[in-house]
mmCIF file with all atom_site columns, all heavy atoms in Angstrom:
data_model
loop_
_atom_site.group_PDB
_atom_site.id
_atom_site.type_symbol
_atom_site.label_atom_id
_atom_site.label_alt_id
_atom_site.label_comp_id
_atom_site.label_asym_id
_atom_site.label_entity_id
_atom_site.label_seq_id
_atom_site.pdbx_PDB_ins_code
_atom_site.Cartn_x
_atom_site.Cartn_y
_atom_site.Cartn_z
_atom_site.occupancy
_atom_site.B_iso_or_equiv
_atom_site.pdbx_formal_charge
_atom_site.auth_seq_id
_atom_site.auth_comp_id
_atom_site.auth_asym_id
_atom_site.auth_atom_id
_atom_site.pdbx_PDB_model_num
ATOM 1   N N   . ARG K 1 1  ? -10.018 4.402  -10.837 1.00 0.00 ? 531 ARG K N   1
ATOM 2   C CA  . ARG K 1 1  ? -9.464  5.403  -9.753  1.00 0.00 ? 531 ARG K CA  1
ATOM 3   C C   . ARG K 1 1  ? -10.552 5.458  -8.593  1.00 0.00 ? 531 ARG K C   1
ATOM 4   O O   . ARG K 1 1  ? -10.795 6.505  -8.065  1.00 0.00 ? 531 ARG K O   1
ATOM 5   C CB  . ARG K 1 1  ? -9.300  6.702  -10.344 1.00 0.00 ? 531 ARG K CB  1
ATOM 6   C CG  . ARG K 1 1  ? -8.426  6.692  -11.564 1.00 0.00 ? 531 ARG K CG  1
ATOM 7   C CD  . ARG K 1 1  ? -7.070  7.416  -11.268 1.00 0.00 ? 531 ARG K CD  1
ATOM 8   N NE  . ARG K 1 1  ? -6.379  7.657  -12.472 1.00 0.00 ? 531 ARG K NE  1
ATOM 9   C CZ  . ARG K 1 1  ? -5.264  7.020  -12.801 1.00 0.00 ? 531 ARG K CZ  1
ATOM 10  N NH1 . ARG K 1 1  ? -4.740  6.153  -11.952 1.00 0.00 ? 531 ARG K NH1 1
ATOM 11  N NH2 . ARG K 1 1  ? -4.640  7.267  -13.868 1.00 0.00 ? 531 ARG K NH2 1
ATOM 12  N N   . ASP K 1 2  ? -11.032 4.363  -8.208  1.00 0.00 ? 532 ASP K N   1
ATOM 13  C CA  . ASP K 1 2  ? -11.940 4.212  -7.017  1.00 0.00 ? 532 ASP K CA  1
ATOM 14  C C   . ASP K 1 2  ? -11.203 4.466  -5.780  1.00 0.00 ? 532 ASP K C   1
ATOM 15  O O   . ASP K 1 2  ? -10.235 3.690  -5.453  1.00 0.00 ? 532 ASP K O   1
ATOM 16  C CB  . ASP K 1 2  ? -12.677 2.949  -7.017  1.00 0.00 ? 532 ASP K CB  1
ATOM 17  C CG  . ASP K 1 2  ? -13.597 2.826  -5.788  1.00 0.00 ? 532 ASP K CG  1
ATOM 18  O OD1 . ASP K 1 2  ? -14.313 3.725  -5.516  1.00 0.00 ? 532 ASP K OD1 1
ATOM 19  O OD2 . ASP K 1 2  ? -13.549 1.765  -5.132  1.00 0.00 ? 532 ASP K OD2 1
ATOM 20  N N   . GLN K 1 3  ? -11.529 5.498  -4.984  1.00 0.00 ? 533 GLN K N   1
ATOM 21  C CA  . GLN K 1 3  ? -10.805 5.869  -3.744  1.00 0.00 ? 533 GLN K CA  1
ATOM 22  C C   . GLN K 1 3  ? -10.787 4.701  -2.699  1.00 0.00 ? 533 GLN K C   1
ATOM 23  O O   . GLN K 1 3  ? -9.753  4.405  -2.134  1.00 0.00 ? 533 GLN K O   1
ATOM 24  C CB  . GLN K 1 3  ? -11.507 7.061  -3.143  1.00 0.00 ? 533 GLN K CB  1
ATOM 25  C CG  . GLN K 1 3  ? -10.592 7.798  -2.094  1.00 0.00 ? 533 GLN K CG  1
ATOM 26  C CD  . GLN K 1 3  ? -9.679  8.722  -2.824  1.00 0.00 ? 533 GLN K CD  1
ATOM 27  O OE1 . GLN K 1 3  ? -10.050 9.269  -3.823  1.00 0.00 ? 533 GLN K OE1 1
ATOM 28  N NE2 . GLN K 1 3  ? -8.548  9.041  -2.150  1.00 0.00 ? 533 GLN K NE2 1
ATOM 29  N N   . GLN K 1 4  ? -11.921 3.987  -2.586  1.00 0.00 ? 534 GLN K N   1
ATOM 30  C CA  . GLN K 1 4  ? -11.983 2.861  -1.597  1.00 0.00 ? 534 GLN K CA  1
ATOM 31  C C   . GLN K 1 4  ? -11.036 1.778  -2.035  1.00 0.00 ? 534 GLN K C   1
ATOM 32  O O   . GLN K 1 4  ? -10.408 1.149  -1.189  1.00 0.00 ? 534 GLN K O   1
ATOM 33  C CB  . GLN K 1 4  ? -13.465 2.376  -1.528  1.00 0.00 ? 534 GLN K CB  1
ATOM 34  C CG  . GLN K 1 4  ? -14.310 3.359  -0.700  1.00 0.00 ? 534 GLN K CG  1
ATOM 35  C CD  . GLN K 1 4  ? -15.693 2.794  -0.574  1.00 0.00 ? 534 GLN K CD  1
ATOM 36  O OE1 . GLN K 1 4  ? -16.158 2.062  -1.488  1.00 0.00 ? 534 GLN K OE1 1
ATOM 37  N NE2 . GLN K 1 4  ? -16.360 3.189  0.516   1.00 0.00 ? 534 GLN K NE2 1
ATOM 38  N N   . SER K 1 5  ? -10.930 1.520  -3.243  1.00 0.00 ? 535 SER K N   1
ATOM 39  C CA  . SER K 1 5  ? -10.041 0.468  -3.711  1.00 0.00 ? 535 SER K CA  1
ATOM 40  C C   . SER K 1 5  ? -8.566  0.748  -3.435  1.00 0.00 ? 535 SER K C   1
ATOM 41  O O   . SER K 1 5  ? -7.819  -0.046 -2.954  1.00 0.00 ? 535 SER K O   1
ATOM 42  C CB  . SER K 1 5  ? -10.211 0.214  -5.269  1.00 0.00 ? 535 SER K CB  1
ATOM 43  O OG  . SER K 1 5  ? -11.429 -0.233 -5.545  1.00 0.00 ? 535 SER K OG  1
ATOM 44  N N   . PHE K 1 6  ? -8.245  2.014  -3.621  1.00 0.00 ? 536 PHE K N   1
ATOM 45  C CA  . PHE K 1 6  ? -6.798  2.431  -3.255  1.00 0.00 ? 536 PHE K CA  1
ATOM 46  C C   . PHE K 1 6  ? -6.625  2.416  -1.699  1.00 0.00 ? 536 PHE K C   1
ATOM 47  O O   . PHE K 1 6  ? -5.568  2.114  -1.250  1.00 0.00 ? 536 PHE K O   1
ATOM 48  C CB  . PHE K 1 6  ? -6.491  3.774  -3.874  1.00 0.00 ? 536 PHE K CB  1
ATOM 49  C CG  . PHE K 1 6  ? -5.977  3.660  -5.292  1.00 0.00 ? 536 PHE K CG  1
ATOM 50  C CD1 . PHE K 1 6  ? -6.854  3.860  -6.347  1.00 0.00 ? 536 PHE K CD1 1
ATOM 51  C CD2 . PHE K 1 6  ? -4.667  3.376  -5.507  1.00 0.00 ? 536 PHE K CD2 1
ATOM 52  C CE1 . PHE K 1 6  ? -6.385  3.680  -7.633  1.00 0.00 ? 536 PHE K CE1 1
ATOM 53  C CE2 . PHE K 1 6  ? -4.159  3.141  -6.826  1.00 0.00 ? 536 PHE K CE2 1
ATOM 54  C CZ  . PHE K 1 6  ? -5.083  3.351  -7.829  1.00 0.00 ? 536 PHE K CZ  1
ATOM 55  N N   . SER K 1 7  ? -7.634  2.769  -0.970  1.00 0.00 ? 537 SER K N   1
ATOM 56  C CA  . SER K 1 7  ? -7.507  2.721  0.477   1.00 0.00 ? 537 SER K CA  1
ATOM 57  C C   . SER K 1 7  ? -7.288  1.268  0.882   1.00 0.00 ? 537 SER K C   1
ATOM 58  O O   . SER K 1 7  ? -6.466  1.008  1.754   1.00 0.00 ? 537 SER K O   1
ATOM 59  C CB  . SER K 1 7  ? -8.795  3.239  1.103   1.00 0.00 ? 537 SER K CB  1
ATOM 60  O OG  . SER K 1 7  ? -8.929  4.631  0.921   1.00 0.00 ? 537 SER K OG  1
ATOM 61  N N   . PHE K 1 8  ? -8.030  0.344  0.354   1.00 0.00 ? 538 PHE K N   1
ATOM 62  C CA  . PHE K 1 8  ? -7.855  -1.042 0.545   1.00 0.00 ? 538 PHE K CA  1
ATOM 63  C C   . PHE K 1 8  ? -6.423  -1.514 0.221   1.00 0.00 ? 538 PHE K C   1
ATOM 64  O O   . PHE K 1 8  ? -5.767  -2.232 1.001   1.00 0.00 ? 538 PHE K O   1
ATOM 65  C CB  . PHE K 1 8  ? -8.900  -1.919 -0.205  1.00 0.00 ? 538 PHE K CB  1
ATOM 66  C CG  . PHE K 1 8  ? -8.738  -3.377 0.000   1.00 0.00 ? 538 PHE K CG  1
ATOM 67  C CD1 . PHE K 1 8  ? -9.234  -4.003 1.068   1.00 0.00 ? 538 PHE K CD1 1
ATOM 68  C CD2 . PHE K 1 8  ? -8.007  -4.109 -1.008  1.00 0.00 ? 538 PHE K CD2 1
ATOM 69  C CE1 . PHE K 1 8  ? -9.100  -5.389 1.236   1.00 0.00 ? 538 PHE K CE1 1
ATOM 70  C CE2 . PHE K 1 8  ? -7.841  -5.499 -0.815  1.00 0.00 ? 538 PHE K CE2 1
ATOM 71  C CZ  . PHE K 1 8  ? -8.348  -6.116 0.310   1.00 0.00 ? 538 PHE K CZ  1
ATOM 72  N N   . LEU K 1 9  ? -5.968  -1.090 -0.956  1.00 0.00 ? 539 LEU K N   1
ATOM 73  C CA  . LEU K 1 9  ? -4.653  -1.436 -1.346  1.00 0.00 ? 539 LEU K CA  1
ATOM 74  C C   . LEU K 1 9  ? -3.595  -0.872 -0.387  1.00 0.00 ? 539 LEU K C   1
ATOM 75  O O   . LEU K 1 9  ? -2.710  -1.670 0.053   1.00 0.00 ? 539 LEU K O   1
ATOM 76  C CB  . LEU K 1 9  ? -4.410  -0.771 -2.765  1.00 0.00 ? 539 LEU K CB  1
ATOM 77  C CG  . LEU K 1 9  ? -3.400  -1.414 -3.697  1.00 0.00 ? 539 LEU K CG  1
ATOM 78  C CD1 . LEU K 1 9  ? -3.907  -2.828 -4.063  1.00 0.00 ? 539 LEU K CD1 1
ATOM 79  C CD2 . LEU K 1 9  ? -3.275  -0.581 -4.991  1.00 0.00 ? 539 LEU K CD2 1
ATOM 80  N N   . TYR K 1 10 ? -3.787  0.340  0.057   1.00 0.00 ? 540 TYR K N   1
ATOM 81  C CA  . TYR K 1 10 ? -2.784  0.934  0.982   1.00 0.00 ? 540 TYR K CA  1
ATOM 82  C C   . TYR K 1 10 ? -2.838  0.184  2.268   1.00 0.00 ? 540 TYR K C   1
ATOM 83  O O   . TYR K 1 10 ? -1.801  -0.196 2.887   1.00 0.00 ? 540 TYR K O   1
ATOM 84  C CB  . TYR K 1 10 ? -3.056  2.378  1.218   1.00 0.00 ? 540 TYR K CB  1
ATOM 85  C CG  . TYR K 1 10 ? -2.070  3.022  2.115   1.00 0.00 ? 540 TYR K CG  1
ATOM 86  C CD1 . TYR K 1 10 ? -0.891  3.511  1.619   1.00 0.00 ? 540 TYR K CD1 1
ATOM 87  C CD2 . TYR K 1 10 ? -2.263  3.174  3.549   1.00 0.00 ? 540 TYR K CD2 1
ATOM 88  C CE1 . TYR K 1 10 ? 0.135   4.053  2.527   1.00 0.00 ? 540 TYR K CE1 1
ATOM 89  C CE2 . TYR K 1 10 ? -1.339  3.715  4.381   1.00 0.00 ? 540 TYR K CE2 1
ATOM 90  C CZ  . TYR K 1 10 ? -0.189  4.146  3.830   1.00 0.00 ? 540 TYR K CZ  1
ATOM 91  O OH  . TYR K 1 10 ? 0.774   4.671  4.677   1.00 0.00 ? 540 TYR K OH  1
ATOM 92  N N   . ASP K 1 11 ? -4.034  -0.071 2.899   1.00 0.00 ? 541 ASP K N   1
ATOM 93  C CA  . ASP K 1 11 ? -4.192  -0.674 4.131   1.00 0.00 ? 541 ASP K CA  1
ATOM 94  C C   . ASP K 1 11 ? -3.585  -2.178 4.135   1.00 0.00 ? 541 ASP K C   1
ATOM 95  O O   . ASP K 1 11 ? -2.995  -2.539 5.206   1.00 0.00 ? 541 ASP K O   1
ATOM 96  C CB  . ASP K 1 11 ? -5.626  -0.762 4.490   1.00 0.00 ? 541 ASP K CB  1
ATOM 97  C CG  . ASP K 1 11 ? -6.274  0.527  4.857   1.00 0.00 ? 541 ASP K CG  1
ATOM 98  O OD1 . ASP K 1 11 ? -5.447  1.535  5.057   1.00 0.00 ? 541 ASP K OD1 1
ATOM 99  O OD2 . ASP K 1 11 ? -7.513  0.677  4.780   1.00 0.00 ? 541 ASP K OD2 1
ATOM 100 N N   . ASN K 1 12 ? -3.657  -2.842 3.057   1.00 0.00 ? 542 ASN K N   1
ATOM 101 C CA  . ASN K 1 12 ? -3.279  -4.211 3.030   1.00 0.00 ? 542 ASN K CA  1
ATOM 102 C C   . ASN K 1 12 ? -1.833  -4.384 2.544   1.00 0.00 ? 542 ASN K C   1
ATOM 103 O O   . ASN K 1 12 ? -1.288  -5.470 2.833   1.00 0.00 ? 542 ASN K O   1
ATOM 104 C CB  . ASN K 1 12 ? -4.181  -5.050 2.208   1.00 0.00 ? 542 ASN K CB  1
ATOM 105 C CG  . ASN K 1 12 ? -5.544  -5.243 2.856   1.00 0.00 ? 542 ASN K CG  1
ATOM 106 O OD1 . ASN K 1 12 ? -5.643  -5.917 3.831   1.00 0.00 ? 542 ASN K OD1 1
ATOM 107 N ND2 . ASN K 1 12 ? -6.529  -4.520 2.392   1.00 0.00 ? 542 ASN K ND2 1
ATOM 108 N N   . TYR K 1 13 ? -1.260  -3.468 1.775   1.00 0.00 ? 543 TYR K N   1
ATOM 109 C CA  . TYR K 1 13 ? 0.049   -3.676 1.221   1.00 0.00 ? 543 TYR K CA  1
ATOM 110 C C   . TYR K 1 13 ? 1.158   -2.657 1.663   1.00 0.00 ? 543 TYR K C   1
ATOM 111 O O   . TYR K 1 13 ? 2.320   -2.872 1.359   1.00 0.00 ? 543 TYR K O   1
ATOM 112 C CB  . TYR K 1 13 ? 0.014   -3.718 -0.304  1.00 0.00 ? 543 TYR K CB  1
ATOM 113 C CG  . TYR K 1 13 ? -0.851  -4.788 -0.816  1.00 0.00 ? 543 TYR K CG  1
ATOM 114 C CD1 . TYR K 1 13 ? -2.094  -4.628 -1.297  1.00 0.00 ? 543 TYR K CD1 1
ATOM 115 C CD2 . TYR K 1 13 ? -0.324  -6.109 -0.832  1.00 0.00 ? 543 TYR K CD2 1
ATOM 116 C CE1 . TYR K 1 13 ? -2.958  -5.696 -1.708  1.00 0.00 ? 543 TYR K CE1 1
ATOM 117 C CE2 . TYR K 1 13 ? -1.088  -7.191 -1.307  1.00 0.00 ? 543 TYR K CE2 1
ATOM 118 C CZ  . TYR K 1 13 ? -2.389  -6.980 -1.722  1.00 0.00 ? 543 TYR K CZ  1
ATOM 119 O OH  . TYR K 1 13 ? -3.143  -8.048 -2.186  1.00 0.00 ? 543 TYR K OH  1
ATOM 120 N N   . SER K 1 14 ? 0.773   -1.631 2.309   1.00 0.00 ? 544 SER K N   1
ATOM 121 C CA  . SER K 1 14 ? 1.762   -0.632 2.727   1.00 0.00 ? 544 SER K CA  1
ATOM 122 C C   . SER K 1 14 ? 2.894   -1.158 3.641   1.00 0.00 ? 544 SER K C   1
ATOM 123 O O   . SER K 1 14 ? 4.045   -0.783 3.479   1.00 0.00 ? 544 SER K O   1
ATOM 124 C CB  . SER K 1 14 ? 1.060   0.592  3.353   1.00 0.00 ? 544 SER K CB  1
ATOM 125 O OG  . SER K 1 14 ? 0.439   0.255  4.530   1.00 0.00 ? 544 SER K OG  1
ATOM 126 N N   . GLY K 1 15 ? 2.531   -2.036 4.555   1.00 0.00 ? 545 GLY K N   1
ATOM 127 C CA  . GLY K 1 15 ? 3.503   -2.657 5.468   1.00 0.00 ? 545 GLY K CA  1
ATOM 128 C C   . GLY K 1 15 ? 4.645   -3.450 4.704   1.00 0.00 ? 545 GLY K C   1
ATOM 129 O O   . GLY K 1 15 ? 5.780   -3.256 4.894   1.00 0.00 ? 545 GLY K O   1
ATOM 130 N N   . ALA K 1 16 ? 4.155   -4.234 3.760   1.00 0.00 ? 546 ALA K N   1
ATOM 131 C CA  . ALA K 1 16 ? 5.133   -5.084 2.912   1.00 0.00 ? 546 ALA K CA  1
ATOM 132 C C   . ALA K 1 16 ? 5.924   -4.159 2.070   1.00 0.00 ? 546 ALA K C   1
ATOM 133 O O   . ALA K 1 16 ? 7.189   -4.320 1.966   1.00 0.00 ? 546 ALA K O   1
ATOM 134 C CB  . ALA K 1 16 ? 4.364   -6.065 2.095   1.00 0.00 ? 546 ALA K CB  1
ATOM 135 N N   . LEU K 1 17 ? 5.356   -3.126 1.418   1.00 0.00 ? 547 LEU K N   1
ATOM 136 C CA  . LEU K 1 17 ? 6.110   -2.246 0.555   1.00 0.00 ? 547 LEU K CA  1
ATOM 137 C C   . LEU K 1 17 ? 7.125   -1.432 1.426   1.00 0.00 ? 547 LEU K C   1
ATOM 138 O O   . LEU K 1 17 ? 8.232   -1.166 0.889   1.00 0.00 ? 547 LEU K O   1
ATOM 139 C CB  . LEU K 1 17 ? 5.101   -1.394 -0.262  1.00 0.00 ? 547 LEU K CB  1
ATOM 140 C CG  . LEU K 1 17 ? 4.234   -2.140 -1.248  1.00 0.00 ? 547 LEU K CG  1
ATOM 141 C CD1 . LEU K 1 17 ? 3.278   -1.200 -1.953  1.00 0.00 ? 547 LEU K CD1 1
ATOM 142 C CD2 . LEU K 1 17 ? 5.010   -2.977 -2.214  1.00 0.00 ? 547 LEU K CD2 1
ATOM 143 N N   . TYR K 1 18 ? 6.645   -1.032 2.503   1.00 0.00 ? 548 TYR K N   1
ATOM 144 C CA  . TYR K 1 18 ? 7.501   -0.224 3.388   1.00 0.00 ? 548 TYR K CA  1
ATOM 145 C C   . TYR K 1 18 ? 8.811   -0.978 3.798   1.00 0.00 ? 548 TYR K C   1
ATOM 146 O O   . TYR K 1 18 ? 9.874   -0.430 3.764   1.00 0.00 ? 548 TYR K O   1
ATOM 147 C CB  . TYR K 1 18 ? 6.811   0.257  4.665   1.00 0.00 ? 548 TYR K CB  1
ATOM 148 C CG  . TYR K 1 18 ? 7.598   1.028  5.677   1.00 0.00 ? 548 TYR K CG  1
ATOM 149 C CD1 . TYR K 1 18 ? 7.961   2.355  5.396   1.00 0.00 ? 548 TYR K CD1 1
ATOM 150 C CD2 . TYR K 1 18 ? 8.181   0.423  6.800   1.00 0.00 ? 548 TYR K CD2 1
ATOM 151 C CE1 . TYR K 1 18 ? 8.707   2.986  6.334   1.00 0.00 ? 548 TYR K CE1 1
ATOM 152 C CE2 . TYR K 1 18 ? 8.866   1.081  7.691   1.00 0.00 ? 548 TYR K CE2 1
ATOM 153 C CZ  . TYR K 1 18 ? 9.185   2.390  7.516   1.00 0.00 ? 548 TYR K CZ  1
ATOM 154 O OH  . TYR K 1 18 ? 9.962   3.085  8.363   1.00 0.00 ? 548 TYR K OH  1
ATOM 155 N N   . SER K 1 19 ? 8.600   -2.266 4.058   1.00 0.00 ? 549 SER K N   1
ATOM 156 C CA  . SER K 1 19 ? 9.794   -3.090 4.511   1.00 0.00 ? 549 SER K CA  1
ATOM 157 C C   . SER K 1 19 ? 10.806  -3.189 3.270   1.00 0.00 ? 549 SER K C   1
ATOM 158 O O   . SER K 1 19 ? 11.959  -3.217 3.454   1.00 0.00 ? 549 SER K O   1
ATOM 159 C CB  . SER K 1 19 ? 9.333   -4.438 5.000   1.00 0.00 ? 549 SER K CB  1
ATOM 160 O OG  . SER K 1 19 ? 8.794   -5.209 3.971   1.00 0.00 ? 549 SER K OG  1
ATOM 161 N N   . ILE K 1 20 ? 10.246  -3.322 2.082   1.00 0.00 ? 550 ILE K N   1
ATOM 162 C CA  . ILE K 1 20 ? 11.138  -3.381 0.857   1.00 0.00 ? 550 ILE K CA  1
ATOM 163 C C   . ILE K 1 20 ? 11.851  -2.072 0.695   1.00 0.00 ? 550 ILE K C   1
ATOM 164 O O   . ILE K 1 20 ? 13.060  -2.056 0.516   1.00 0.00 ? 550 ILE K O   1
ATOM 165 C CB  . ILE K 1 20 ? 10.298  -3.702 -0.382  1.00 0.00 ? 550 ILE K CB  1
ATOM 166 C CG1 . ILE K 1 20 ? 9.660   -5.096 -0.298  1.00 0.00 ? 550 ILE K CG1 1
ATOM 167 C CG2 . ILE K 1 20 ? 11.175  -3.587 -1.676  1.00 0.00 ? 550 ILE K CG2 1
ATOM 168 C CD1 . ILE K 1 20 ? 10.560  -6.237 -0.232  1.00 0.00 ? 550 ILE K CD1 1
ATOM 169 N N   . VAL K 1 21 ? 11.178  -0.979 0.802   1.00 0.00 ? 551 VAL K N   1
ATOM 170 C CA  . VAL K 1 21 ? 11.834  0.343  0.729   1.00 0.00 ? 551 VAL K CA  1
ATOM 171 C C   . VAL K 1 21 ? 12.811  0.542  1.776   1.00 0.00 ? 551 VAL K C   1
ATOM 172 O O   . VAL K 1 21 ? 13.946  1.040  1.597   1.00 0.00 ? 551 VAL K O   1
ATOM 173 C CB  . VAL K 1 21 ? 10.723  1.473  0.746   1.00 0.00 ? 551 VAL K CB  1
ATOM 174 C CG1 . VAL K 1 21 ? 11.366  2.821  0.864   1.00 0.00 ? 551 VAL K CG1 1
ATOM 175 C CG2 . VAL K 1 21 ? 9.874   1.364  -0.468  1.00 0.00 ? 551 VAL K CG2 1
ATOM 176 N N   . LEU K 1 22 ? 12.553  0.177  2.994   1.00 0.00 ? 552 LEU K N   1
ATOM 177 C CA  . LEU K 1 22 ? 13.478  0.316  4.159   1.00 0.00 ? 552 LEU K CA  1
ATOM 178 C C   . LEU K 1 22 ? 14.694  -0.482 3.973   1.00 0.00 ? 552 LEU K C   1
ATOM 179 O O   . LEU K 1 22 ? 15.799  -0.052 4.416   1.00 0.00 ? 552 LEU K O   1
ATOM 180 C CB  . LEU K 1 22 ? 12.757  -0.042 5.451   1.00 0.00 ? 552 LEU K CB  1
ATOM 181 C CG  . LEU K 1 22 ? 13.469  0.300  6.753   1.00 0.00 ? 552 LEU K CG  1
ATOM 182 C CD1 . LEU K 1 22 ? 13.719  1.782  6.844   1.00 0.00 ? 552 LEU K CD1 1
ATOM 183 C CD2 . LEU K 1 22 ? 12.615  -0.092 7.930   1.00 0.00 ? 552 LEU K CD2 1
ATOM 184 N N   . GLN K 1 23 ? 14.627  -1.666 3.360   1.00 0.00 ? 553 GLN K N   1
ATOM 185 C CA  . GLN K 1 23 ? 15.890  -2.432 3.070   1.00 0.00 ? 553 GLN K CA  1
ATOM 186 C C   . GLN K 1 23 ? 16.826  -1.701 2.195   1.00 0.00 ? 553 GLN K C   1
ATOM 187 O O   . GLN K 1 23 ? 17.986  -1.790 2.305   1.00 0.00 ? 553 GLN K O   1
ATOM 188 C CB  . GLN K 1 23 ? 15.436  -3.728 2.500   1.00 0.00 ? 553 GLN K CB  1
ATOM 189 C CG  . GLN K 1 23 ? 14.858  -4.736 3.406   1.00 0.00 ? 553 GLN K CG  1
ATOM 190 C CD  . GLN K 1 23 ? 14.375  -6.015 2.738   1.00 0.00 ? 553 GLN K CD  1
ATOM 191 O OE1 . GLN K 1 23 ? 14.751  -6.308 1.660   1.00 0.00 ? 553 GLN K OE1 1
ATOM 192 N NE2 . GLN K 1 23 ? 13.556  -6.822 3.497   1.00 0.00 ? 553 GLN K NE2 1
ATOM 193 N N   . VAL K 1 24 ? 16.262  -0.998 1.266   1.00 0.00 ? 554 VAL K N   1
ATOM 194 C CA  . VAL K 1 24 ? 17.070  -0.243 0.329   1.00 0.00 ? 554 VAL K CA  1
ATOM 195 C C   . VAL K 1 24 ? 17.555  1.116  0.823   1.00 0.00 ? 554 VAL K C   1
ATOM 196 O O   . VAL K 1 24 ? 18.752  1.456  0.793   1.00 0.00 ? 554 VAL K O   1
ATOM 197 C CB  . VAL K 1 24 ? 16.368  -0.054 -1.028  1.00 0.00 ? 554 VAL K CB  1
ATOM 198 C CG1 . VAL K 1 24 ? 17.227  0.773  -2.057  1.00 0.00 ? 554 VAL K CG1 1
ATOM 199 C CG2 . VAL K 1 24 ? 15.986  -1.391 -1.666  1.00 0.00 ? 554 VAL K CG2 1
#
């Protein structure tokens, strides 16, 4: 549960995940 790791995850993958969610 390292905060910086989750920040990295969000910064790098939120765009791709958002596009998947937006399609549905």
Side-chain angles (χ1 to χ4, degrees):
R531 308 246 192 248
D532 178 45
Q533 198 85 29
Q534 287 181 329
S535 297
F536 274 96
S537 293
F538 176 83
L539 208 62
Y540 183 84
D541 292 342
N542 289 289
Y543 296 104
S544 62
L547 296 178
Y548 177 77
S549 67
I550 294 298
V551 170
L552 190 59
Q553 287 176 13
V554 176

